[in-house]
Amino acid sequence: MNLFLDSDILLDVILDRIPHYEFSGQVLLLADQPDFYCCTTVHALLNVHYVTKRHLGLKIANEAVVVLFNKVHIIPEDSTTIEQAMQSDFKDFEDAVQYFAAKSAGADAIITRNIKDYTNSTIPVLTAEQFLNTL
């Protein structure tokens, strides 16, 4: 199963955000199982680094990116992704870019805490808890 992990899921784990950490952490652990292909974008890693640096400092931000880089697959955001996002009905450009990157990677689901940001998605959009309840 191909899961696109939005940056909020990754940040829940890195920043130990309670109460979201538990479910987000369980989803991230699926990346270690052969039946799951967990992916995210370069943009999401940039968000993780930026937010982690502000909260926990540069060293931990750098370490977090290394861990995530080695754990999940990084999918591209290219000019086609940007064009699709610009032409879409998504209200938020960043979410549109993430959606079209996930779509181009063949994601079976988008895992996020911001389901409302993906109302135009043709890919199922679930919170970590909702997704884990489907297993």
Side-chain angles (χ1 to χ4, degrees), residues 7-17 47-48 51-52:
S7 56
D8 56 346
I9 298 299
L10 304 174
L11 284 165
D12 287 346
V13 176
I14 300 300
L15 299 178
D16 195 21
R17 296 196 288 202
N47 285 344
V48 166
V51 173
T52 303

Side-chain angles (χ1 to χ4, degrees), residues 2-28:
N2 184 343
L3 303 177
F4 177 82
L5 307 182
D6 201 2
S7 56
D8 56 346
I9 298 299
L10 304 174
L11 284 165
D12 287 346
V13 176
I14 300 300
L15 299 178
D16 195 21
R17 296 196 288 202
I18 304 298
H20 311 292
Y21 172 85
E22 178 184 350
F23 297 116
S24 295
Q26 289 178 39
V27 168
L28 188 57

Side-chain angles (χ1 to χ4, degrees), residues 16-128:
D16 195 21
R17 296 196 288 202
I18 304 298
H20 311 292
Y21 172 85
E22 178 184 350
F23 297 116
S24 295
Q26 289 178 39
V27 168
L28 188 57
L29 285 175
L30 294 174
D32 298 328
Q33 297 185 19
D35 293 342
F36 291 91
Y37 178 94
C38 294
C39 62
T40 197
T41 59
V42 171
H43 184 86
L45 286 183
L46 294 172
N47 285 344
V48 166
H49 189 274
Y50 176 78
V51 173
T52 303
K53 180 179 165 185
R54 287 183 50 220
H55 289 274
L56 302 175
L58 179 61
K59 181 180 180 198
I60 293 175
N62 289 342
E63 291 169 357
V65 168
V66 169
V67 167
L68 293 173
F69 181 80
N70 290 316
K71 190 168 201 62
V72 299
H73 300 273
I74 310 303
I75 59 173
E77 299 160 296
D78 57 17
S79 59
T80 301
T81 307
I82 300 300
E83 286 177 27
Q84 291 171 324
M86 289 188 303
Q87 296 170 6
S88 76
D89 292 332
F90 276 78
K91 292 179 183 171
D92 185 276
F93 180 66
E94 178 184 5
D95 295 326
V97 171
Q98 297 300 287
Y99 165 74
F100 284 105
K103 187 173 180 179
S104 72
D108 297 307
I110 295 172
I111 311 301
T112 183
R113 274 198 291 113
N114 299 314
I115 292 175
K116 66 180 177 3
D117 294 341
Y118 293 94
T119 55
N120 294 332
S121 177
T122 59
I123 303 168
V125 180
L126 304 160
T127 65

